[in-house]
Amino acid sequence: GMAGAGVLAYSYKQADRAYVGFFDHNAAASTSVFRASTAVVGVGFAVNEILRITGMGGDTSPIETLYRNDTELFIKRMEDARRLDPSISVEVGKFIQRGKEIIDLANVSIDRIKAGNLDAARVEIGKIGPRVIDYREDLRVWNNAKAAETVKGVQLLSADATRTITNSLLGICLAFLAFIGAALFFVSRGITAPIERLSTRMVSLAGGETREEIDGIARKDEVGQMAQAVAVFRENALERIRLEQE
């Protein structure tokens, strides 16, 4: 009995580690990309504000400081995303390069403003807007593809977890037939059903359903950890919606 319980616990723990590890890296990396991209989206606004304030003879140092901090965070968060999920390194690298090009245009605009050449600055600023729009659209397409990939990964992990646990149980049942009813009840109520619900919730999240809370997030066991990982993905989806609305 103790040996059978140990086998089941080990199988469950392995499935849990794979599930939670997937979300810890995948969802966290996607969130980091979106947080980093906020700086790029705000570049055009910041430069226009510097131009406007300069034209009024005001002090631009506060917004310049904010601009510099945001652009530095852009690089750091993008590199964090590559570290968390090496599989997206190439795609993130392309977004980094495009973001740097937008920031370079912004820096040239600011230099022109500082030199008092406001007309030339306006010309450079005019190049920023279309690039930011293209950047946001390409990021949206990339995120949708990444979301679909994540859902597929969750479904595979869920199926693998269920298969692993089921196979472990079948092995135990051969030796402990008397306990099969209780074992099946434990799996269906305590493990398989919650995992399947989380998998279903991931599918609904990919479809844009972000209003419903994640079931099981208050649990203190491994299922609760899985639910918290799915909650991170939901927060990422909400952040994406907020950025698109902006």
Side-chain angles (χ1 to χ4, degrees):
M2 292 296 292
V7 171
L8 180 60
Y10 176 78
S11 299
Y12 180 53
K13 193 68 176 178
Q14 290 296 103
D16 169 63
R17 285 175 178 172
Y19 199 96
V20 174
F22 179 82
F23 275 105
D24 281 348
H25 292 81
N26 188 288
S30 296
T31 299
S32 188
V33 169
F34 272 105
R35 292 180 66 194
S37 299
T38 302
V40 175
V41 174
V43 161
F45 171 79
V47 176
N48 274 294
E49 277 297 286
I50 293 172
L51 177 63
R52 183 184 66 83
I53 294 172
T54 299
M56 297 171 57
D59 180 15
T60 63
S61 57
I63 194 168
E64 287 182 51
T65 299
L66 181 63
Y67 167 78
R68 285 193 298 271
N69 291 340
D70 284 345
T71 52
E72 289 172 3
L73 281 175
F74 165 73
I75 301 299
K76 179 182 181 302
R77 287 170 175 167
M78 282 295 199
E79 292 299 340
D80 286 344
R82 298 173 94 173
R83 175 180 55 80
L84 288 166
D85 188 357
S87 69
I88 64 173
S89 181
V90 174
E91 294 98 321
V92 171
K94 293 177 181 178
F95 280 116
I96 290 175
Q97 181 59 39
R98 291 174 62 182
K100 285 181 176 179
E101 291 172 0
I102 293 172
I103 292 170
D104 286 343
L105 281 175
N107 289 335
V108 170
S109 301
I110 293 172
D111 288 342
R112 299 279 168 81
I113 293 171
K114 293 297 181 183
N117 195 346
L118 302 188
D119 288 337
R122 291 187 181 95
V123 171
E124 296 300 324
I125 292 173
K127 300 176 184 177
I128 296 174
R131 292 200 179 199
V132 170
I133 292 172
D134 289 344
Y135 184 93
R136 291 183 62 180
E137 176 60 19
D138 290 346
L139 185 62
R140 183 189 66 80
V141 172
W142 177 84
N143 181 73
N144 288 341
K146 192 65 180 172
E149 179 185 322
T150 299
V151 170
K152 183 178 180 180
V154 168
Q155 291 172 334
L156 289 174
L157 282 172
S158 179
D160 183 64
T162 301
R163 182 171 56 253
T164 299
I165 293 169
T166 301
N167 289 340
S168 298
L169 277 174
L170 288 174
I172 294 170
C173 287
L174 293 175
F176 302 99
L177 186 60
F179 299 100
I180 188 62
L184 286 175
F185 178 81
F186 172 77
V187 172
S188 63
R189 297 294 182 184
I191 301 176
T192 305
I195 290 177
E196 290 178 349
R197 286 197 298 270
L198 287 173
S199 179
T200 300
R201 185 69 183 93
M202 275 299 307
V203 174
S204 67
L205 272 175
E209 172 50 56
T210 58
R211 292 174 296 177
E212 184 181 349
E213 295 291 335
I214 304 303
D215 183 37
I217 198 170
R219 292 178 61 145
K220 303 300 182 183
D221 56 6
E222 287 82 359
V223 173
Q225 293 179 16
M226 293 181 185
Q228 290 172 7
V230 176
V232 172
F233 187 82
R234 174 175 175 261
E235 292 171 2
N236 179 36
L238 290 171
E239 176 68 6
R240 175 177 62 82
I241 292 171
R242 185 185 70 79
L243 285 174
E244 290 180 352
Q245 289 175 346
E246 291 178 353

